[in-house]
Amino acid sequence: GSSLIDAMLPYASPGYIMAWAAFISLLRLVAKGLKSKGVAVPMVLEYYFWAYLVLSLGAISAFYSAIADVMLLTSWLDTETTTDFVSRRMKAEGDESALSDWSKDDSLAEYPALRYLSMTCPVFVVMTFLVCAFHTYMQVRQKDEETSPEAQKMRDRTIRIILLPVIYGLMSFQGVLRCWGVSINSAGDANHFTCFKERKVYLEAAYESAFIVGDLYEAYSLFVFGLLILDVLHQRVGSRIQVYSELENGISEAG
């Protein structure tokens, strides 16, 4: 029902990003085909524009969920407030027996440094986003100035590699959200989960899915990086072969 959808939506970002990745990949192929025919492609149809737009929306959604579903409920992960919130929810669900397991395995009460360090994650996500966006912008400028199709292809591959830290950083923060959810016994839901164990199983699965998305793009970017290295080697080896060939021809003519 609607309560199930409301419970799942804030934690479905990995699935959203995978769906958008398919759309962006298709858009890149369409733009590439248009450019090969000499058609000028506006910025709003470039795949990297949509990539950063989708990642921005994903980050905003994650930050909102962190504040609304975690921080405001627990007074910014305050130990007493969190314990009271967890115990009240377990009591309401008739799940008081799980409190001891939660206190032993999932509470952050004994890890204040980890609690505060995890709260700095959004700062690093934003910093990573800004640095990668800047370098993408620089690559786009240089790509537009390139006249060689081979050079433009290499710039395009570089842009796709630069996206890796942004995607992995966002997925890592999604994983932190899941860990916070376990530590406060909340998955942003109202009535769907009936006990702490069900909620924890769901959050741990969601945690794994976030890193699976990050790992998939990491594998893809490494593949693209390998192609880029081959392009560089091909250029350098080809230029040397040309130099040696010209030198050999010069020696032959002199002889």
Side-chain angles (χ1 to χ4, degrees), residues 190-249:
N191 302 307
H192 177 63
F193 299 105
T194 60
C195 64
F196 171 66
K197 183 178 180 180
E198 290 181 1
R199 198 170 287 111
K200 182 177 179 180
V201 169
Y202 164 71
L203 288 169
E204 288 178 342
Y207 173 92
E208 293 292 336
S209 71
F211 280 96
I212 286 174
V213 173
D215 290 341
L216 283 173
Y217 194 82
E218 181 183 25
Y220 171 73
S221 64
L222 288 173
F223 170 72
V224 175
F225 180 73
L227 295 177
L228 183 61
I229 293 297
L230 289 175
D231 289 338
V232 174
L233 292 175
H234 181 265
Q235 280 190 351
R236 293 189 176 182
V237 172
S239 62
R240 289 186 179 183
I241 291 176
Q242 183 177 1
V243 170
Y244 293 149
S245 178
E246 293 175 354
L247 181 60
E248 183 178 358
N249 291 335

Side-chain angles (χ1 to χ4, degrees), residues 58-251:
I60 292 171
S61 174
F63 296 157
Y64 175 81
S65 180
I67 294 173
D69 300 330
V70 179
M71 299 303 167
L72 295 182
L73 296 179
T74 61
S75 298
W76 298 87
L77 296 179
D78 175 72
T79 299
E80 293 184 4
T81 306
T82 301
T83 303
D84 179 65
F85 177 82
V86 171
S87 61
R88 281 190 291 107
R89 166 160 279 187
M90 288 181 175
K91 184 176 181 180
E93 295 173 344
D95 193 32
E96 296 95 327
S97 60
L99 184 60
S100 60
D101 291 336
W102 172 85
S103 299
K104 181 175 64 176
D105 299 328
D106 305 301
S107 173
L108 294 176
E110 297 181 2
Y111 306 97
L114 178 61
R115 188 167 70 248
Y116 294 128
L117 182 62
S118 69
M119 292 169 66
T120 66
C121 285
V123 177
F124 293 101
V125 172
V126 172
M127 290 174 61
T128 301
F129 186 96
L130 294 176
V131 170
C132 292
F134 171 75
H135 285 286
T136 298
Y137 169 73
M138 296 300 295
Q139 289 294 327
V140 169
R141 283 187 58 186
Q142 295 177 29
K143 180 182 176 183
D144 293 338
E145 296 172 359
E146 298 284 2
T147 57
S148 167
E150 188 68 22
Q152 290 187 351
K153 182 177 69 174
M154 293 173 67
R155 296 288 181 191
D156 180 76
R157 286 175 174 169
T158 303
I159 291 171
R160 282 180 277 163
I161 295 169
I162 292 173
L163 281 168
L164 174 61
V166 184
I167 294 175
Y168 213 102
L170 181 56
M171 291 299 98
S172 297
F173 182 64
Q174 290 285 341
V176 171
L177 271 177
R178 273 52 166 193
C179 293
W180 282 342
V182 174
S183 69
I184 71 169
N185 188 25
S186 175
D189 63 300
N191 302 307
H192 177 63
F193 299 105
T194 60
C195 64
F196 171 66
K197 183 178 180 180
E198 290 181 1
R199 198 170 287 111
K200 182 177 179 180
V201 169
Y202 164 71
L203 288 169
E204 288 178 342
Y207 173 92
E208 293 292 336
S209 71
F211 280 96
I212 286 174
V213 173
D215 290 341
L216 283 173
Y217 194 82
E218 181 183 25
Y220 171 73
S221 64
L222 288 173
F223 170 72
V224 175
F225 180 73
L227 295 177
L228 183 61
I229 293 297
L230 289 175
D231 289 338
V232 174
L233 292 175
H234 181 265
Q235 280 190 351
R236 293 189 176 182
V237 172
S239 62
R240 289 186 179 183
I241 291 176
Q242 183 177 1
V243 170
Y244 293 149
S245 178
E246 293 175 354
L247 181 60
E248 183 178 358
N249 291 335
I251 293 174

Side-chain angles (χ1 to χ4, degrees), residues 40-58:
V41 178
M43 176 65 73
V44 294
L45 292 182
E46 293 284 6
Y47 74 92
Y48 42 81
F49 171 85
W50 284 93
Y52 277 98
L53 177 62
V54 171
L55 291 169
S56 298
L57 295 175

